[in-house]
């Protein structure tokens, strides 16, 4: 298997979408995996995504799935990178600054 998928997390994904994520919010996720939660937030709530995963296959699946769901996979909208979560978090302020300079300001959720 190239990526991990757990159907038992569906309840948590649904809860987050209904109760935590706000329309047009910026969501940062250091361990995004194949991006199921992020894709739903982007497509249903118009959230902007800044995400990371160490597994290059998961990053590619995430981007491909986002495209198939009609999401613009580009910096400032749905930006997914492959790398170490610690480095991603350490550089998050810089990435959020770059993202907000090209888009209107909004709340941010770090997942």
């Amino acid at each position: 298997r190239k990526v991990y998928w757990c159907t038992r997390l569906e309840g948590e994904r649904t809860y987050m979408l209904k109760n935590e994520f706000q329309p047009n919010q910026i969501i940062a996720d250091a361990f995004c995996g194949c991006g199921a939660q992020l894709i739903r937030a982007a497509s249903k709530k118009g959230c902007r995504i800044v995400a990371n995963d160490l597994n290059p296959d998961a990053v590619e699946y995430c981007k491909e799935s986002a495209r198939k769901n009609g999401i613009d996979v580009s910096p400032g909208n749905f930006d997914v990178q492959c790398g170490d979560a610690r480095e991603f978090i350490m550089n998050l302020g810089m990435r959020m600054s770059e993202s907000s300079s090209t888009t209107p300001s909004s709340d941010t959720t770090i997942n």
Side-chain angles (χ1 to χ4, degrees):
R1 296 184 204 202
K2 293 184 177 189
V3 298
Y4 175 76
W5 174 259
C6 179
T7 57
R8 295 187 333 191
L9 293 175
E10 181 60 26
E12 181 66 19
R13 287 189 285 269
T14 299
Y15 174 85
M16 294 289 290
L17 188 65
K18 288 182 180 178
N19 300 299
E20 299 294 329
F21 299 148
Q22 302 301 313
N24 303 312
Q25 188 174 36
I26 298 172
I27 300 174
D29 189 342
F31 306 95
C32 70
C34 60
Q37 186 168 5
L38 303 177
I39 292 165
R40 288 178 67 186
S43 64
K44 297 196 182 291
K45 297 232 175 178
C47 294
R48 292 187 307 275
I49 306 301
V50 180
N52 176 79
D53 201 273
L54 186 59
N55 179 345
D57 293 319
V59 170
E60 287 308 310
Y61 276 99
C62 181
K63 290 177 182 179
E64 180 182 340
S65 184
R67 284 186 202 99
K68 287 180 178 179
N69 281 277
I71 297 167
D72 172 23
V73 179
S74 64
N77 188 58
F78 196 95
D79 186 10
V80 184
Q81 71 177 31
C82 182
D84 181 73
R86 183 172 185 257
E87 290 176 22
F88 173 80
I89 292 167
M90 289 175 54
N91 296 316
L92 191 56
M94 175 103 73
R95 293 189 63 163
M96 299 305 275
S97 175
E98 291 169 1
S99 177
S100 66
S101 69
T102 60
T103 56
S105 68
S106 65
D107 294 332
T108 303
T109 294
I110 298 178
N111 186 8

